[in-house]
Amino acid sequence: KKFGRVKLQKILYLHETANNLDFGSDYKKIKHAMGPHDYVFLKKIENNLKEKGWFDKIQEEGEKGRVYYPALNKADEYKKHLSAVHNRKELEDLINTMMDFDLNQSEVVATLYAVWKEENDYNIFGTGPDNILIKKALGWHDRKDNIPKEYWPWGINWLRSQKLIF
């Protein structure tokens, strides 16, 4: 139950983007309230996980109920598939590191990385001050103001510790 839809999406986003991989996703359509998000890509992943008998998708009551992925009878087989994944060690490390993150932590690191990446792609941000990065991340969506302020500097420090930003 610690591994829900938001965390799955943020791990996939960070892994794909940081390693310059192409999973066929498109995170640039909208600036979703929870950070980088591609609903169509996520649905494909969820369908694939269930089709293979690895993980089911359970949504708690209500339209906006939490989604999580209980293991199915073939869940251990996903590990064989991981051996063919590009940058497998980085993905496993990212999953293991983020496993205990709460919803806000997952959202913060992905949003901060998306803002940092976007700014660096245009050579605007570079290694600018942390407060500018945080300000831009808070401007991503109005709901970002609901995240406790201490999460933002923590997120920058975590991204640096993972060598995702400099």
Side-chain angles (χ1 to χ4, degrees), residues 10-11 68 74 88 90 111 131:
K10 302 318 168 206
I11 287 172
Y68 60 95
K74 296 181 182 177
R88 183 184 126 235
E90 288 88 346
T111 303
N131 61 336

Side-chain angles (χ1 to χ4, degrees), residues 107-123:
E107 182 179 333
V108 162
V109 296
T111 303
L112 284 166
Y113 186 75
V115 169
W116 182 86
K117 179 90 172 113
E118 183 178 89
E119 298 295 322
N120 274 317
D121 283 350
Y122 295 108
N123 293 317

Side-chain angles (χ1 to χ4, degrees), residues 7 25 34 63 79 97-99 110 113 115 137-138 144 153:
K7 192 178 293 184
S25 61
M34 292 188 153
E63 185 180 318
K79 293 175 185 172
T97 303
M98 291 181 68
M99 187 57 71
Y113 186 75
V115 169
L138 287 168
K144 297 295 182 201

Side-chain angles (χ1 to χ4, degrees), residues 2-159:
K2 283 184 172 185
F3 200 91
R5 177 180 269 170
V6 171
K7 192 178 293 184
L8 173 62
Q9 179 82 94
K10 302 318 168 206
I11 287 172
L12 290 170
Y13 166 75
L14 285 168
H15 182 66
E16 179 181 8
T17 308
N19 292 295
N20 295 313
L21 302 173
D22 183 3
F23 293 162
S25 61
D26 183 4
Y27 294 101
K28 294 183 180 184
K29 289 180 184 172
I30 60 168
K31 290 198 171 182
H32 192 269
M34 292 188 153
H37 183 75
D38 181 346
Y39 183 75
V40 173
F41 175 65
L42 186 58
K43 290 299 290 178
K44 286 180 190 174
I45 296 292
E46 289 172 341
N47 290 338
N48 198 11
L49 292 173
K50 188 168 185 168
E51 245 176 53
K52 291 183 183 298
W54 297 347
F55 297 94
D56 197 1
K57 178 190 98 176
I58 303 293
Q59 182 164 359
E60 293 176 347
E61 282 191 46
E63 185 180 318
K64 295 186 179 187
R66 184 179 181 282
V67 174
Y68 60 95
Y69 306 99
L72 295 174
N73 55 347
K74 296 181 182 177
D76 285 343
E77 289 181 16
Y78 87 90
K79 293 175 185 172
K80 294 176 200 168
H81 177 75
L82 271 182
S83 65
V85 171
H86 293 292
N87 302 79
R88 183 184 126 235
K89 175 154 179 23
E90 288 88 346
L91 177 59
E92 287 176 337
D93 289 348
L94 190 60
I95 291 168
N96 290 333
T97 303
M98 291 181 68
M99 187 57 71
D100 290 327
F101 281 17
D102 64 25
L103 181 74
N104 284 332
Q105 289 171 312
S106 300
E107 182 179 333
V108 162
V109 296
T111 303
L112 284 166
Y113 186 75
V115 169
W116 182 86
K117 179 90 172 113
E118 183 178 89
E119 298 295 322
N120 274 317
D121 283 350
Y122 295 108
N123 293 317
I124 296 170
F125 189 68
T127 57
D130 293 355
N131 61 336
I132 294 173
L133 180 58
I134 292 170
K135 184 177 179 181
K136 288 184 176 286
L138 287 168
W140 180 280
H141 192 279
D142 292 345
R143 284 198 20 211
K144 297 295 182 201
D145 289 333
N146 297 336
I147 296 174
K149 300 221 181 301
E150 63 271 13
Y151 277 77
W152 298 101
W154 168 87
I156 290 172
N157 290 331
W158 183 84
L159 288 165

